Amino acid sequence: MPDFFDIVRAQRACRHFAPDDVPDADLEAMLTAATHAPSAENLQPWEFVVVRDPPRRAAIGALAAELWAGGARAWAAPHLSDALLSEVDAAVEAGGFGGAPVLIVVAGRRTGQASDGMLASSIYTCVQNLLLAANALGYGSGLTTLTTVVAGRLSAIVELPEDLQPMAVVPVGRPARPLGPPRRIAARD
Protein backbone atom coordinates (compact mmCIF):
# COMPACT_ATOMS: atom_id res chain seq x y z
CA MET A 1 0.00 0.00 0.00
CA PRO A 2 1.41 3.43 -0.88
CA ASP A 3 2.42 5.94 1.77
CA PHE A 4 -0.43 8.22 2.94
CA PHE A 5 1.31 11.39 1.80
CA ASP A 6 2.01 9.89 -1.63
CA ILE A 7 -1.73 9.14 -1.92
CA VAL A 8 -2.66 12.68 -0.93
CA ARG A 9 -0.13 14.25 -3.30
CA ALA A 10 -1.33 12.06 -6.21
CA GLN A 11 -5.06 12.67 -5.64
CA ARG A 12 -6.76 14.22 -8.66
CA ALA A 13 -10.01 13.98 -10.55
CA CYS A 14 -10.36 11.16 -13.05
CA ARG A 15 -12.67 11.90 -15.99
CA HIS A 16 -12.09 8.89 -18.26
CA PHE A 17 -12.53 5.34 -17.03
CA ALA A 18 -11.80 1.84 -18.28
CA PRO A 19 -14.85 -0.46 -18.34
CA ASP A 20 -13.32 -2.85 -15.75
CA ASP A 21 -15.64 -3.71 -12.89
CA VAL A 22 -14.89 -2.62 -9.32
CA PRO A 23 -14.99 -5.64 -6.99
CA ASP A 24 -17.33 -5.50 -3.99
CA ALA A 25 -14.41 -5.85 -1.56
CA ASP A 26 -12.75 -2.73 -2.97
CA LEU A 27 -16.00 -0.76 -2.81
CA GLU A 28 -16.51 -1.93 0.77
CA ALA A 29 -13.01 -0.73 1.68
CA MET A 30 -13.68 2.68 0.10
CA LEU A 31 -17.03 3.08 1.86
CA THR A 32 -15.56 1.98 5.17
CA ALA A 33 -12.87 4.65 4.82
CA ALA A 34 -15.57 7.19 3.98
CA THR A 35 -17.49 6.38 7.17
CA HIS A 36 -14.40 7.05 9.27
CA ALA A 37 -14.50 10.75 8.40
CA PRO A 38 -15.23 13.30 11.08
CA SER A 39 -18.77 14.64 11.18
CA ALA A 40 -20.49 17.53 12.92
CA GLU A 41 -21.62 16.43 16.37
CA ASN A 42 -20.65 12.90 15.31
CA LEU A 43 -24.03 12.59 13.56
CA GLN A 44 -22.51 10.56 10.70
CA PRO A 45 -25.38 11.60 8.40
CA TRP A 46 -24.09 9.93 5.25
CA GLU A 47 -25.79 7.33 3.12
CA PHE A 48 -24.35 5.78 -0.03
CA VAL A 49 -26.11 4.47 -3.10
CA VAL A 50 -23.76 2.38 -5.25
CA VAL A 51 -25.00 2.52 -8.83
CA ARG A 52 -23.70 -0.25 -11.09
CA ASP A 53 -26.88 -0.76 -13.10
CA PRO A 54 -26.21 0.53 -16.65
CA PRO A 55 -29.67 2.10 -17.18
CA ARG A 56 -29.44 4.05 -13.91
CA ARG A 57 -25.86 5.13 -14.61
CA ALA A 58 -27.04 6.24 -18.04
CA ALA A 59 -29.95 8.18 -16.54
CA ILE A 60 -27.63 10.01 -14.13
CA GLY A 61 -25.21 10.65 -17.01
CA ALA A 62 -28.03 11.99 -19.19
CA LEU A 63 -29.06 14.32 -16.37
CA ALA A 64 -25.48 15.58 -16.08
CA ALA A 65 -25.27 16.08 -19.85
CA GLU A 66 -28.58 17.97 -19.87
CA LEU A 67 -27.39 20.31 -17.11
CA TRP A 68 -23.97 20.76 -18.73
CA ALA A 69 -25.55 21.73 -22.06
CA GLY A 70 -28.29 23.74 -20.35
CA GLY A 71 -26.02 26.34 -18.80
CA ALA A 72 -23.37 24.72 -16.61
CA ARG A 73 -20.85 24.61 -19.46
CA ALA A 74 -21.38 28.29 -20.24
CA TRP A 75 -20.95 29.14 -16.56
CA ALA A 76 -17.78 27.00 -16.20
CA ALA A 77 -16.08 28.00 -19.48
CA PRO A 78 -14.61 31.32 -18.26
CA HIS A 79 -13.17 29.58 -15.17
CA LEU A 80 -11.55 26.56 -16.84
CA SER A 81 -8.55 26.25 -19.11
CA ASP A 82 -9.33 25.18 -22.66
CA ALA A 83 -7.73 21.79 -21.98
CA LEU A 84 -9.79 21.17 -18.84
CA LEU A 85 -13.00 22.33 -20.53
CA SER A 86 -12.31 19.94 -23.40
CA GLU A 87 -11.65 17.11 -20.93
CA VAL A 88 -14.95 17.75 -19.12
CA ASP A 89 -16.80 17.96 -22.45
CA ALA A 90 -15.39 14.54 -23.42
CA ALA A 91 -16.35 13.05 -20.04
CA VAL A 92 -19.93 14.31 -20.45
CA GLU A 93 -20.08 12.90 -23.98
CA ALA A 94 -18.86 9.53 -22.64
CA GLY A 95 -21.97 9.00 -20.54
CA GLY A 96 -21.83 11.96 -18.22
CA PHE A 97 -19.06 10.59 -16.02
CA GLY A 98 -16.38 9.40 -18.41
CA GLY A 99 -17.77 5.88 -18.62
CA ALA A 100 -17.21 5.05 -14.93
CA PRO A 101 -18.45 1.53 -14.17
CA VAL A 102 -19.63 2.64 -10.71
CA LEU A 103 -21.28 5.83 -9.52
CA ILE A 104 -21.61 6.42 -5.80
CA VAL A 105 -24.34 8.86 -4.86
CA VAL A 106 -23.47 10.32 -1.47
CA ALA A 107 -26.47 11.64 0.39
CA GLY A 108 -26.92 13.38 3.70
CA ARG A 109 -29.66 12.53 6.15
CA ARG A 110 -31.67 15.61 7.02
CA THR A 111 -32.54 15.70 10.67
CA GLY A 112 -33.83 18.40 12.99
CA GLN A 113 -30.36 18.50 14.51
CA ALA A 114 -28.29 19.08 11.37
CA SER A 115 -28.20 22.45 9.67
CA ASP A 116 -27.25 22.66 5.98
CA GLY A 117 -23.74 23.77 6.97
CA MET A 118 -23.36 20.88 9.39
CA LEU A 119 -24.56 18.46 6.75
CA ALA A 120 -22.13 19.78 4.14
CA SER A 121 -19.18 19.76 6.55
CA SER A 122 -19.87 16.12 7.32
CA ILE A 123 -20.58 14.88 3.80
CA TYR A 124 -17.59 16.48 2.10
CA THR A 125 -15.09 15.12 4.64
CA CYS A 126 -16.65 11.71 4.03
CA VAL A 127 -16.28 12.15 0.26
CA GLN A 128 -12.61 13.15 0.69
CA ASN A 129 -11.93 9.90 2.54
CA LEU A 130 -13.71 8.02 -0.25
CA LEU A 131 -11.57 9.71 -2.91
CA LEU A 132 -8.34 9.00 -1.03
CA ALA A 133 -9.30 5.35 -0.45
CA ALA A 134 -10.09 4.92 -4.15
CA ASN A 135 -6.69 6.38 -5.02
CA ALA A 136 -4.93 4.11 -2.50
CA LEU A 137 -6.53 1.09 -4.19
CA GLY A 138 -5.47 2.24 -7.67
CA TYR A 139 -8.84 3.59 -8.80
CA GLY A 140 -9.69 6.91 -10.34
CA SER A 141 -12.53 8.95 -8.89
CA GLY A 142 -13.86 12.48 -8.73
CA LEU A 143 -16.17 14.70 -6.75
CA THR A 144 -19.10 15.92 -8.83
CA THR A 145 -22.06 17.97 -7.66
CA LEU A 146 -23.69 19.09 -10.92
CA THR A 147 -26.63 16.69 -10.73
CA THR A 148 -27.34 17.68 -7.13
CA VAL A 149 -28.58 21.02 -8.46
CA VAL A 150 -31.74 19.12 -9.40
CA ALA A 151 -31.73 16.98 -6.28
CA GLY A 152 -35.31 15.81 -6.72
CA ARG A 153 -34.58 14.37 -10.15
CA LEU A 154 -31.38 12.66 -8.97
CA SER A 155 -33.22 11.31 -5.91
CA ALA A 156 -35.92 9.85 -8.16
CA ILE A 157 -33.35 8.03 -10.33
CA VAL A 158 -31.72 6.33 -7.34
CA GLU A 159 -34.93 6.11 -5.27
CA LEU A 160 -33.73 8.09 -2.27
CA PRO A 161 -36.22 8.55 0.56
CA GLU A 162 -37.34 12.12 1.25
CA ASP A 163 -35.15 12.51 4.33
CA LEU A 164 -31.98 12.03 2.23
CA GLN A 165 -30.48 14.87 0.22
CA PRO A 166 -28.07 13.88 -2.59
CA MET A 167 -24.93 15.96 -2.18
CA ALA A 168 -22.34 14.38 -4.48
CA VAL A 169 -21.88 11.79 -7.18
CA VAL A 170 -18.50 10.06 -7.15
CA PRO A 171 -17.57 8.13 -10.30
CA VAL A 172 -15.16 5.27 -9.53
CA GLY A 173 -13.19 2.95 -11.79
CA ARG A 174 -9.80 2.20 -13.20
CA PRO A 175 -8.44 5.19 -15.12
CA ALA A 176 -8.63 4.73 -18.90
CA ARG A 177 -5.14 6.24 -19.12
CA PRO A 178 -2.49 7.19 -16.57
CA LEU A 179 -3.38 10.28 -14.59
CA GLY A 180 -0.79 13.00 -14.59
CA PRO A 181 0.26 14.79 -11.44
CA PRO A 182 -2.28 17.20 -9.98
CA ARG A 183 -1.64 20.89 -10.43
CA ARG A 184 -1.64 22.52 -7.02
CA ILE A 185 -0.74 25.89 -5.63
CA ALA A 186 1.99 25.44 -3.02
CA ALA A 187 1.16 25.95 0.65
CA ARG A 188 2.15 29.40 1.80
CA ASP A 189 3.65 30.69 5.04
Side-chain angles (χ1 to χ4, degrees):
M1 175 114 9
D3 175 73
F4 173 78
F5 291 98
D6 291 339
I7 293 166
V8 170
R9 285 189 294 266
Q11 178 58 45
R12 63 162 296 169
C14 181
R15 293 182 185 84
H16 304 284
F17 296 89
D20 309 352
D21 192 23
V22 179
D24 289 342
D26 289 347
L27 280 172
E28 184 66 31
M30 289 177 224
L31 295 176
T32 297
T35 65
H36 281 77
S39 65
E41 297 181 359
N42 199 30
L43 291 174
Q44 302 174 50
W46 40 71
E47 294 285 336
F48 309 96
V49 178
V50 176
V51 182
R52 293 178 184 267
D53 177 59
R56 277 195 191 180
R57 285 194 344 257
I60 297 169
L63 182 58
E66 175 189 328
L67 294 167
W68 186 245
R73 185 187 193 285
W75 180 86
H79 311 288
L80 301 179
S81 69
D82 290 342
L84 182 53
L85 185 63
S86 177
E87 194 173 314
V88 174
D89 283 339
V92 170
E93 289 173 17
F97 298 94
V102 174
L103 299 177
I104 302 173
V105 177
V106 185
R109 184 168 303 284
R110 293 187 211 112
T111 68
Q113 298 172 286
S115 68
D116 286 347
M118 289 172 67
L119 196 56
S121 69
S122 299
I123 296 303
Y124 296 121
T125 57
C126 161
V127 170
Q128 178 66 14
N129 277 13
L130 174 61
L131 298 172
L132 291 171
N135 190 14
L137 294 170
Y139 293 95
S141 62
L143 165 62
T144 68
T145 58
L146 179 59
T147 56
T148 67
V149 172
V150 289
R153 291 175 64 190
L154 178 57
S155 292
I157 293 169
V158 296
E159 301 176 1
L160 284 178
E162 284 188 24
D163 66 330
L164 291 177
Q165 175 180 336
M167 299 187 69
V169 176
V170 178
V172 176
R174 297 285 181 201
R177 58 181 184 256
L179 300 175
R183 294 176 294 279
R184 295 290 180 261
I185 298 170
R188 294 184 170 75
D189 298 312

